[in-house]
Coordinates of all heavy atoms in Angstrom, one line a residue:
M1168 N -6.0 19.9 -1.9 CA -6.7 19.3 -0.8 C -6.3 17.8 -0.7 O -5.8 17.2 -1.7 CB -8.2 19.3 -1.1 CG -8.8 20.6 -1.1 SD -10.6 20.5 -1.3 CE -11.0 20.8 0.4
N1169 N -6.4 17.3 0.5 CA -5.9 15.9 0.7 C -7.1 15.1 1.4 O -7.0 14.8 2.6 CB -4.7 15.9 1.5 CG -4.0 14.5 1.5 OD1 -4.3 13.7 0.7 ND2 -3.0 14.3 2.4
E1170 N -8.2 14.9 0.7 CA -9.3 14.3 1.3 C -9.6 13.0 0.5 O -9.3 12.9 -0.7 CB -10.5 15.2 1.2 CG -10.3 16.5 1.9 CD -11.5 17.5 1.6 OE1 -12.5 17.1 1.1 OE2 -11.3 18.7 2.0
E1171 N -10.2 12.1 1.2 CA -10.6 10.8 0.6 C -12.0 10.8 0.1 O -12.6 9.7 -0.2 CB -10.4 9.6 1.6 CG -8.9 9.3 1.7 CD -8.8 8.0 2.5 OE1 -9.4 7.0 2.0 OE2 -8.0 8.0 3.4
N1172 N -12.6 11.9 -0.1 CA -14.0 12.0 -0.6 C -14.1 12.2 -2.1 O -15.1 12.7 -2.6 CB -14.8 13.0 0.2 CG -14.2 14.4 -0.1 OD1 -13.3 14.6 -0.8 ND2 -14.8 15.4 0.6
G1173 N -13.1 11.9 -2.8 CA -13.1 12.1 -4.3 C -12.5 13.5 -4.7 O -12.5 13.8 -5.9
V1174 N -12.1 14.3 -3.8 CA -11.5 15.6 -4.1 C -10.1 15.6 -3.6 O -9.8 15.5 -2.4 CB -12.3 16.7 -3.4 CG1 -11.8 18.0 -3.7 CG2 -13.8 16.6 -3.8
G1175 N -9.2 15.9 -4.5 CA -7.8 16.1 -4.2 C -6.9 14.8 -4.2 O -7.4 13.7 -4.2
H1176 N -5.6 15.0 -4.2 CA -4.6 13.9 -4.2 C -4.5 13.3 -2.9 O -4.4 13.9 -1.8 CB -3.3 14.5 -4.6 CG -2.3 13.5 -4.9 ND1 -1.9 13.1 -6.1 CD2 -1.6 12.7 -4.0 CE1 -0.9 12.2 -6.0 NE2 -0.7 11.9 -4.7
V1177 N -4.5 11.9 -2.9 CA -4.3 11.1 -1.7 C -3.2 10.1 -2.0 O -3.1 9.6 -3.0 CB -5.6 10.4 -1.3 CG1 -5.3 9.6 0.0 CG2 -6.7 11.4 -1.0
T1178 N -2.3 10.0 -1.0 CA -1.3 8.9 -1.1 C -1.7 7.8 0.0 O -1.7 8.2 1.1 CB 0.1 9.4 -0.8 OG1 0.4 10.4 -1.8 CG2 1.2 8.3 -0.9
H1179 N -1.9 6.6 -0.5 CA -2.3 5.5 0.4 C -1.0 4.7 0.6 O -0.2 4.5 -0.3 CB -3.3 4.6 -0.2 CG -4.6 5.3 -0.6 ND1 -5.6 5.7 0.4 CD2 -5.1 5.8 -1.8 CE1 -6.6 6.3 -0.2 NE2 -6.3 6.4 -1.5
V1180 N -0.9 4.2 1.9 CA 0.3 3.4 2.2 C -0.3 2.1 2.8 O -1.0 2.1 3.8 CB 1.2 4.1 3.2 CG1 2.4 3.1 3.6 CG2 1.8 5.4 2.6
L1181 N 0.0 1.0 2.1 CA -0.3 -0.3 2.6 C 0.9 -1.0 3.2 O 2.0 -0.9 2.6 CB -0.8 -1.2 1.4 CG -2.0 -0.7 0.6 CD1 -2.4 -1.7 -0.5 CD2 -3.1 -0.2 1.4
V1182 N 0.8 -1.5 4.4 CA 1.9 -2.1 5.1 C 1.7 -3.6 5.0 O 0.7 -4.2 5.5 CB 1.9 -1.6 6.6 CG1 3.1 -2.2 7.3 CG2 1.9 -0.1 6.7
L1183 N 2.8 -4.3 4.5 CA 2.7 -5.7 4.3 C 3.9 -6.4 5.0 O 4.9 -5.7 5.3 CB 2.7 -6.0 2.8 CG 1.5 -5.4 2.1 CD1 1.7 -5.5 0.6 CD2 0.3 -6.1 2.6
P1184 N 3.7 -7.6 5.4 CA 4.7 -8.3 6.3 C 6.1 -8.6 5.6 O 7.0 -8.8 6.4 CB 4.0 -9.6 6.7 CG 3.0 -9.8 5.6 CD 2.6 -8.5 5.1
D1185 N 6.1 -8.8 4.3 CA 7.4 -9.2 3.7 C 7.4 -8.7 2.2 O 6.4 -8.3 1.7 CB 7.6 -10.7 3.8 CG 6.5 -11.5 3.2 OD1 6.2 -11.3 2.0 OD2 6.0 -12.4 3.9
R1186 N 8.6 -8.8 1.6 CA 8.8 -8.4 0.2 C 7.9 -9.1 -0.7 O 7.3 -8.6 -1.7 CB 10.2 -8.5 -0.2 CG 10.5 -7.9 -1.5 CD 11.9 -8.0 -1.9 NE 12.1 -7.3 -3.2 CZ 13.1 -6.6 -3.5 NH1 14.1 -6.4 -2.6 NH2 13.2 -6.0 -4.6
G1187 N 7.8 -10.5 -0.6 CA 7.0 -11.3 -1.5 C 5.6 -10.8 -1.5 O 5.0 -10.7 -2.6
A1188 N 5.0 -10.6 -0.3 CA 3.6 -10.2 -0.2 C 3.5 -8.8 -0.9 O 2.5 -8.6 -1.6 CB 3.2 -10.1 1.2
A1189 N 4.4 -7.9 -0.6 CA 4.4 -6.6 -1.2 C 4.4 -6.6 -2.7 O 3.7 -5.9 -3.4 CB 5.5 -5.7 -0.6
E1190 N 5.3 -7.4 -3.3 CA 5.4 -7.5 -4.7 C 4.1 -8.1 -5.3 O 3.6 -7.6 -6.3 CB 6.6 -8.4 -5.1 CG 7.9 -7.7 -4.8 CD 9.1 -8.6 -5.1 OE1 9.0 -9.9 -5.1 OE2 10.2 -8.1 -5.2
E1191 N 3.6 -9.1 -4.7 CA 2.3 -9.7 -5.2 C 1.2 -8.7 -5.1 O 0.4 -8.6 -6.0 CB 2.0 -11.0 -4.4 CG 2.9 -12.2 -4.7 CD 2.5 -13.4 -3.9 OE1 1.3 -13.5 -3.4 OE2 3.4 -14.2 -3.7
A1192 N 1.1 -8.0 -4.0 CA 0.0 -7.1 -3.8 C 0.1 -5.9 -4.8 O -0.9 -5.5 -5.3 CB 0.1 -6.6 -2.3
A1193 N 1.3 -5.4 -5.0 CA 1.5 -4.3 -5.9 C 1.1 -4.7 -7.3 O 0.4 -3.9 -8.0 CB 3.0 -3.9 -6.0
E1194 N 1.4 -5.9 -7.8 CA 1.0 -6.4 -9.1 C -0.5 -6.5 -9.2 O -1.2 -6.0 -10.1 CB 1.7 -7.7 -9.4 CG 1.4 -8.2 -10.8 CD 2.1 -9.5 -11.1 OE1 3.2 -9.7 -10.6 OE2 1.5 -10.3 -11.8
A1195 N -1.1 -7.1 -8.1 CA -2.6 -7.3 -8.1 C -3.3 -6.0 -8.0 O -4.4 -5.8 -8.6 CB -2.9 -8.2 -7.0
L1196 N -2.7 -5.1 -7.2 CA -3.4 -3.8 -7.0 C -3.5 -3.0 -8.3 O -4.5 -2.4 -8.6 CB -2.6 -3.0 -6.0 CG -3.1 -1.7 -5.4 CD1 -4.4 -2.0 -4.6 CD2 -2.1 -1.0 -4.6
A1197 N -2.4 -3.0 -9.1 CA -2.4 -2.3 -10.4 C -3.5 -2.9 -11.3 O -4.2 -2.1 -11.9 CB -1.0 -2.5 -11.0
G1198 N -3.7 -4.2 -11.3 CA -4.7 -4.8 -12.1 C -6.1 -4.5 -11.6 O -7.0 -4.1 -12.4
R1199 N -6.3 -4.7 -10.3 CA -7.6 -4.6 -9.7 C -8.2 -3.2 -9.8 O -9.3 -2.9 -10.0 CB -7.6 -5.1 -8.3 CG -9.0 -5.2 -7.7 CD -9.1 -5.7 -6.3 NE -8.6 -7.0 -6.2 CZ -8.5 -7.7 -5.0 NH1 -9.0 -7.1 -3.9 NH2 -8.0 -8.9 -5.0
F1200 N -7.3 -2.2 -9.5 CA -7.7 -0.8 -9.4 C -7.4 0.0 -10.7 O -7.6 1.2 -10.8 CB -7.1 -0.1 -8.2 CG -7.7 -0.6 -6.9 CD1 -7.1 -1.7 -6.3 CD2 -8.8 -0.1 -6.4 CE1 -7.7 -2.2 -5.1 CE2 -9.4 -0.5 -5.2 CZ -8.8 -1.6 -4.5
G1201 N -6.9 -0.7 -11.7 CA -6.6 0.0 -13.0 C -5.6 1.1 -13.0 O -5.7 2.1 -13.6
L1202 N -4.5 0.8 -12.2 CA -3.4 1.8 -12.1 C -2.6 1.8 -13.4 O -2.4 0.7 -13.9 CB -2.5 1.5 -10.9 CG -3.2 1.4 -9.5 CD1 -2.2 1.0 -8.5 CD2 -3.8 2.7 -9.1
P1203 N -2.1 2.9 -13.8 CA -1.3 3.0 -15.0 C 0.0 2.3 -14.8 O 0.7 1.9 -15.8 CB -1.1 4.5 -15.2 CG -1.4 5.1 -13.9 CD -2.3 4.3 -13.2
E1204 N 0.5 2.2 -13.6 CA 1.8 1.4 -13.3 C 1.7 0.9 -11.9 O 0.9 1.3 -11.1 CB 3.0 2.4 -13.4 CG 2.9 3.6 -12.6 CD 4.0 4.6 -12.9 OE1 4.3 4.9 -14.0 OE2 4.7 5.0 -11.9
E1205 N 2.6 -0.1 -11.6 CA 2.6 -0.7 -10.3 C 3.0 0.3 -9.3 O 3.9 1.2 -9.5 CB 3.5 -1.9 -10.3 CG 3.0 -3.1 -11.0 CD 3.8 -4.3 -10.7 OE1 4.7 -4.4 -9.8 OE2 3.7 -5.3 -11.5
P1206 N 2.4 0.2 -8.1 CA 2.8 1.2 -7.0 C 4.2 1.0 -6.6 O 4.8 -0.1 -6.8 CB 1.9 0.8 -5.8 CG 0.8 0.0 -6.5 CD 1.3 -0.7 -7.7
Q1207 N 4.8 2.0 -5.9 CA 6.2 1.9 -5.4 C 6.2 1.0 -4.2 O 5.4 1.1 -3.3 CB 6.6 3.3 -5.1 CG 8.0 3.4 -4.5 CD 8.3 4.9 -4.1 OE1 7.5 5.8 -4.1 NE2 9.5 5.0 -3.6
L1208 N 7.3 0.2 -4.1 CA 7.6 -0.6 -2.9 C 8.7 0.1 -2.1 O 9.7 0.5 -2.7 CB 8.0 -2.0 -3.3 CG 7.0 -2.8 -4.1 CD1 7.6 -4.2 -4.4 CD2 5.7 -2.9 -3.4
V1209 N 8.5 0.1 -0.8 CA 9.5 0.7 0.1 C 9.8 -0.2 1.3 O 8.8 -0.7 1.9 CB 9.1 2.1 0.6 CG1 10.1 2.7 1.6 CG2 8.8 3.0 -0.5
R1210 N 11.0 -0.5 1.5 CA 11.4 -1.4 2.7 C 11.4 -0.5 3.9 O 12.0 0.6 3.9 CB 12.7 -2.0 2.6 CG 13.1 -2.9 3.7 CD 14.5 -3.5 3.5 NE 14.9 -4.3 4.6 CZ 15.7 -3.9 5.6 NH1 16.1 -2.6 5.6 NH2 16.0 -4.7 6.6
D1211 N 10.7 -0.9 5.0 CA 10.6 -0.1 6.2 C 11.1 -0.9 7.4 O 10.4 -1.7 8.0 CB 9.1 0.3 6.5 CG 8.9 1.2 7.7 OD1 9.8 2.0 8.0 OD2 7.9 1.1 8.3
A1212 N 12.4 -0.8 7.6 CA 13.1 -1.5 8.7 C 12.5 -1.1 10.1 O 12.3 0.1 10.3 CB 14.6 -1.3 8.7
L1213 N 12.3 -2.0 10.9 CA 11.8 -1.7 12.3 C 13.0 -1.0 13.0 O 14.1 -1.4 12.8 CB 11.3 -3.0 13.0 CG 10.2 -3.7 12.3 CD1 9.8 -5.0 13.0 CD2 9.0 -2.8 12.2
A1214 N 12.7 -0.2 13.9 CA 13.7 0.6 14.6 C 14.7 -0.3 15.3 O 14.4 -1.3 16.0 CB 13.0 1.5 15.7
G1215 N 16.0 -0.1 15.0 CA 17.1 -0.8 15.6 C 17.4 -2.2 14.9 O 18.2 -2.9 15.4
E1216 N 16.7 -2.5 13.9 CA 16.8 -3.8 13.3 C 17.5 -3.7 11.9 O 17.2 -2.8 11.1 CB 15.5 -4.5 13.1 CG 14.7 -4.8 14.4 CD 15.5 -5.8 15.3 OE1 16.2 -6.6 14.8 OE2 15.2 -5.7 16.5
D1217 N 18.5 -4.5 11.7 CA 19.2 -4.5 10.4 C 18.9 -5.7 9.5 O 19.1 -5.7 8.4 CB 20.8 -4.5 10.6 CG 21.2 -3.2 11.3 OD1 20.7 -2.2 11.0 OD2 22.2 -3.3 12.1
D1218 N 18.3 -6.7 10.1 CA 17.9 -7.9 9.4 C 16.7 -7.7 8.5 O 15.7 -7.2 9.0 CB 17.6 -9.0 10.5 CG 17.4 -10.4 9.9 OD1 17.4 -10.5 8.6 OD2 17.3 -11.3 10.6
A1219 N 16.8 -8.1 7.3 CA 15.8 -7.9 6.3 C 14.5 -8.6 6.8 O 13.4 -8.2 6.4 CB 16.2 -8.4 4.9
E1220 N 14.6 -9.7 7.6 CA 13.4 -10.4 8.0 C 12.6 -9.5 9.1 O 11.5 -9.8 9.3 CB 13.8 -11.7 8.6 CG 14.2 -12.7 7.5 CD 14.4 -14.1 8.0 OE1 13.8 -14.5 9.0 OE2 15.2 -14.8 7.4
D1221 N 13.3 -8.5 9.6 CA 12.6 -7.7 10.6 C 12.1 -6.4 9.9 O 12.1 -5.4 10.6 CB 13.6 -7.3 11.7 CG 13.9 -8.5 12.6 OD1 13.1 -9.4 12.8 OD2 15.1 -8.6 13.0
A1222 N 11.8 -6.5 8.7 CA 11.3 -5.3 8.0 C 9.9 -5.5 7.5 O 9.5 -6.7 7.2 CB 12.2 -5.0 6.8
Q1223 N 9.1 -4.4 7.4 CA 7.8 -4.4 6.8 C 8.1 -3.8 5.4 O 9.0 -3.1 5.2 CB 6.8 -3.6 7.6 CG 6.6 -4.2 9.0 CD 5.7 -3.2 9.8 OE1 5.8 -2.0 9.7 NE2 5.0 -3.8 10.7
W1224 N 7.2 -4.1 4.5 CA 7.2 -3.5 3.2 C 6.0 -2.6 3.0 O 4.9 -3.0 3.3 CB 7.4 -4.6 2.1 CG 8.7 -5.1 2.1 CD1 9.3 -6.1 3.0 CD2 9.8 -4.8 1.3 NE1 10.6 -6.3 2.7 CE2 10.9 -5.5 1.6 CE3 9.9 -3.9 0.2 CZ2 12.2 -5.4 1.0 CZ3 11.1 -3.8 -0.5 CH2 12.2 -4.5 -0.1
L1225 N 6.3 -1.5 2.4 CA 5.2 -0.5 2.2 C 4.9 -0.5 0.7 O 5.8 -0.5 -0.1 CB 5.6 0.9 2.6 CG 6.2 1.0 4.0 CD1 6.6 2.5 4.3 CD2 5.1 0.5 5.1
V1226 N 3.6 -0.5 0.4 CA 3.2 -0.3 -1.0 C 2.5 1.1 -1.1 O 1.5 1.3 -0.4 CB 2.2 -1.4 -1.4 CG1 1.7 -1.2 -2.8 CG2 2.8 -2.8 -1.3
V1227 N 3.2 2.0 -1.8 CA 2.7 3.4 -1.9 C 1.9 3.6 -3.1 O 2.3 3.4 -4.2 CB 3.9 4.3 -1.9 CG1 3.5 5.8 -1.9 CG2 4.8 4.1 -0.7
V1228 N 0.6 3.9 -2.9 CA -0.3 4.1 -4.0 C -0.7 5.5 -4.1 O -1.3 6.1 -3.2 CB -1.6 3.2 -3.7 CG1 -2.6 3.3 -4.9 CG2 -1.3 1.8 -3.4
E1229 N -0.4 6.1 -5.3 CA -0.8 7.5 -5.6 C -2.2 7.5 -6.1 O -2.6 6.7 -6.9 CB 0.2 8.1 -6.6 CG 1.6 8.2 -6.1 CD 1.8 9.1 -4.9 OE1 1.0 10.0 -4.6 OE2 2.7 8.8 -4.1
D1230 N -3.0 8.3 -5.6 CA -4.4 8.4 -5.9 C -4.7 9.9 -6.2 O -5.3 10.6 -5.4 CB -5.3 7.9 -4.7 CG -6.8 7.8 -5.0 OD1 -7.2 8.1 -6.1 OD2 -7.5 7.5 -4.0
P1231 N -4.3 10.4 -7.4 CA -4.4 11.8 -7.7 C -5.8 12.4 -7.7 O -6.0 13.6 -7.4 CB -3.9 11.9 -9.2 CG -3.8 10.5 -9.7 CD -3.8 9.6 -8.5
D1232 N -6.8 11.6 -7.9 CA -8.2 12.1 -7.9 C -8.9 11.7 -6.6 O -10.1 12.0 -6.5 CB -9.0 11.6 -9.1 CG -8.3 12.0 -10.4 OD1 -7.9 13.2 -10.5 OD2 -8.3 11.2 -11.3
G1233 N -8.3 11.1 -5.7 CA -8.9 10.7 -4.4 C -10.1 9.8 -4.6 O -11.1 9.9 -3.9
E1234 N -10.0 8.8 -5.5 CA -11.1 8.0 -5.9 C -11.1 6.6 -5.3 O -12.1 5.9 -5.3 CB -11.3 7.9 -7.4 CG -10.1 7.2 -8.1 CD -10.1 7.3 -9.6 OE1 -10.7 8.3 -10.1 OE2 -9.6 6.4 -10.2
F1235 N -10.0 6.2 -4.7 CA -10.0 4.8 -4.1 C -10.6 4.8 -2.7 O -10.4 5.6 -1.9 CB -8.5 4.3 -4.0 CG -7.8 4.2 -5.3 CD1 -6.5 4.6 -5.4 CD2 -8.5 3.7 -6.4 CE1 -5.9 4.6 -6.7 CE2 -7.8 3.7 -7.7 CZ -6.5 4.1 -7.8
S1236 N -11.4 3.8 -2.5 CA -12.2 3.7 -1.2 C -11.2 3.1 -0.1 O -10.5 2.1 -0.4 CB -13.3 2.7 -1.4 OG -13.7 2.1 -0.2
A1237 N -11.2 3.8 1.0 CA -10.4 3.3 2.1 C -10.8 1.9 2.5 O -9.9 1.0 2.8 CB -10.5 4.3 3.3
A1238 N -12.1 1.6 2.5 CA -12.5 0.3 2.9 C -12.1 -0.8 1.9 O -11.6 -1.9 2.4 CB -14.1 0.3 3.0
E1239 N -12.1 -0.5 0.7 CA -11.6 -1.4 -0.4 C -10.1 -1.7 -0.2 O -9.7 -2.8 -0.3 CB -11.9 -0.9 -1.8 CG -13.3 -1.0 -2.2 CD -13.5 -0.5 -3.6 OE1 -13.2 0.7 -3.9 OE2 -13.9 -1.4 -4.5
L1240 N -9.4 -0.6 0.1 CA -7.9 -0.8 0.3 C -7.6 -1.6 1.6 O -6.7 -2.4 1.6 CB -7.2 0.5 0.2 CG -7.2 1.2 -1.1 CD1 -6.7 2.6 -1.0 CD2 -6.3 0.4 -2.1
D1241 N -8.4 -1.3 2.6 CA -8.3 -2.1 3.9 C -8.4 -3.6 3.6 O -7.7 -4.4 4.0 CB -9.3 -1.6 4.9 CG -8.9 -0.3 5.5 OD1 -7.8 0.1 5.4 OD2 -9.9 0.3 6.0
E1242 N -9.5 -3.9 2.9 CA -9.8 -5.3 2.5 C -8.7 -5.9 1.7 O -8.3 -7.1 1.9 CB -11.1 -5.5 1.8 CG -12.3 -5.2 2.7 CD -13.7 -5.3 2.0 OE1 -13.7 -5.9 0.9 OE2 -14.6 -4.7 2.4
F1243 N -8.2 -5.1 0.7 CA -7.2 -5.6 -0.2 C -5.9 -5.9 0.6 O -5.3 -7.0 0.5 CB -6.9 -4.5 -1.2 CG -5.9 -4.9 -2.2 CD1 -6.2 -5.7 -3.3 CD2 -4.5 -4.6 -2.0 CE1 -5.2 -6.1 -4.2 CE2 -3.5 -5.0 -2.9 CZ -3.9 -5.8 -4.0
A1244 N -5.5 -5.0 1.5 CA -4.2 -5.2 2.2 C -4.4 -6.4 3.2 O -3.4 -7.2 3.3 CB -3.9 -4.0 3.1
A1245 N -5.6 -6.7 3.7 CA -5.8 -7.8 4.6 C -5.6 -9.1 3.9 O -5.3 -10.1 4.5 CB -7.2 -7.7 5.2
E1246 N -5.8 -9.1 2.6 CA -5.6 -10.4 1.8 C -4.2 -10.8 1.9 O -3.9 -12.0 1.7 CB -6.0 -10.2 0.3 CG -7.5 -9.9 0.1 CD -7.8 -9.6 -1.4 OE1 -7.1 -10.1 -2.3 OE2 -8.8 -8.9 -1.6
W1247 N -3.2 -9.9 2.2 CA -1.8 -10.3 2.3 C -1.4 -10.1 3.8 O -0.2 -9.8 4.0 CB -1.0 -9.4 1.4 CG -1.0 -9.9 0.0 CD1 -0.2 -10.8 -0.6 CD2 -1.9 -9.6 -1.1 NE1 -0.5 -11.1 -1.9 CE2 -1.6 -10.3 -2.2 CE3 -3.0 -8.7 -1.1 CZ2 -2.3 -10.2 -3.4 CZ3 -3.7 -8.6 -2.3 CH2 -3.4 -9.3 -3.4
D1248 N -2.3 -10.2 4.7 CA -2.0 -10.0 6.1 C -1.4 -8.6 6.4 O -0.5 -8.5 7.3 CB -1.0 -11.1 6.6 CG -1.7 -12.5 6.6 OD1 -2.9 -12.6 6.8 OD2 -0.9 -13.5 6.2
G1249 N -1.8 -7.6 5.7 CA -1.3 -6.3 5.9 C -2.5 -5.4 6.3 O -3.6 -5.8 6.6
W1250 N -2.2 -4.1 6.3 CA -3.2 -3.1 6.6 C -2.8 -1.8 5.9 O -1.8 -1.6 5.4 CB -3.2 -2.8 8.1 CG -2.0 -2.3 8.7 CD1 -1.7 -0.9 8.9 CD2 -0.8 -3.0 9.2 NE1 -0.4 -0.8 9.4 CE2 0.1 -2.1 9.6 CE3 -0.5 -4.4 9.3 CZ2 1.3 -2.4 10.2 CZ3 0.7 -4.7 9.8 CH2 1.6 -3.8 10.3
R1251 N -3.8 -0.9 5.9 CA -3.6 0.5 5.3 C -3.4 1.5 6.4 O -4.1 1.5 7.4 CB -4.9 0.9 4.5 CG -4.8 2.2 3.8 CD -6.1 2.6 3.2 NE -7.2 2.6 4.2 CZ -7.5 3.6 4.9 NH1 -6.9 4.8 4.8 NH2 -8.5 3.5 5.8
E1252 N -2.3 2.3 6.3 CA -2.1 3.3 7.2 C -3.0 4.5 6.9 O -3.2 4.8 5.7 CB -0.6 3.8 7.1 CG 0.4 2.9 7.7 CD 0.4 2.8 9.2 OE1 0.3 3.9 9.8 OE2 0.4 1.7 9.7
E1253 N -3.5 5.1 7.9 CA -4.3 6.3 7.7 C -3.4 7.5 7.2 O -2.3 7.6 7.8 CB -5.0 6.7 9.0 CG -6.1 5.8 9.5 CD -7.3 5.8 8.6 OE1 -7.6 6.8 8.0 OE2 -7.9 4.8 8.5
P1254 N -3.9 8.2 6.3 CA -3.1 9.4 5.8 C -2.9 10.5 6.8 O -3.7 10.6 7.7 CB -3.8 9.9 4.5 CG -5.1 9.2 4.5 CD -5.1 8.1 5.5

């Protein structure tokens, strides 16, 4: 199952404006939510753009037990001027 009600595996994706914000957020996220390791960072270039400054950075958070609150992750991402993508 892929539900956010505490049942099943969920992958959360936080979208952040730059690499620095993504690195800081990943480190803070691991500590705040007690993750066993830092989440994966992925560069997401905007369509047709090759310049690194025109990229968003994704923080991919695996949530095997579906226990992270969407509202908490929304607030967390907003601290770095980002947002959480809906699964």
Side-chain angles (χ1 to χ4, degrees):
M1168 296 185 103
N1169 193 13
E1170 301 174 11
E1171 284 192 51
N1172 63 1
V1174 179
H1176 186 105
V1177 178
T1178 300
H1179 301 281
V1180 177
L1181 307 182
V1182 182
L1183 299 169
D1185 58 55
R1186 183 180 189 141
E1190 289 173 343
E1191 288 178 24
E1194 183 177 328
L1196 190 66
R1199 187 180 301 183
F1200 289 91
L1202 302 176
E1204 57 188 47
E1205 285 188 19
Q1207 177 184 4
L1208 299 181
V1209 178
R1210 181 178 178 268
D1211 183 32
L1213 300 177
E1216 298 294 335
D1217 294 327
D1218 188 351
E1220 291 187 26
D1221 291 325
Q1223 297 172 329
W1224 284 81
L1225 309 179
V1226 178
V1227 180
V1228 183
E1229 298 298 331
D1230 185 4
D1232 299 321
E1234 62 188 30
F1235 300 137
S1236 159
E1239 284 181 299
L1240 291 171
D1241 286 339
E1242 288 178 24
F1243 182 86
E1246 292 176 27
W1247 281 271
D1248 296 324
W1250 65 90
R1251 180 186 57 87
E1252 286 290 312
E1253 289 292 329

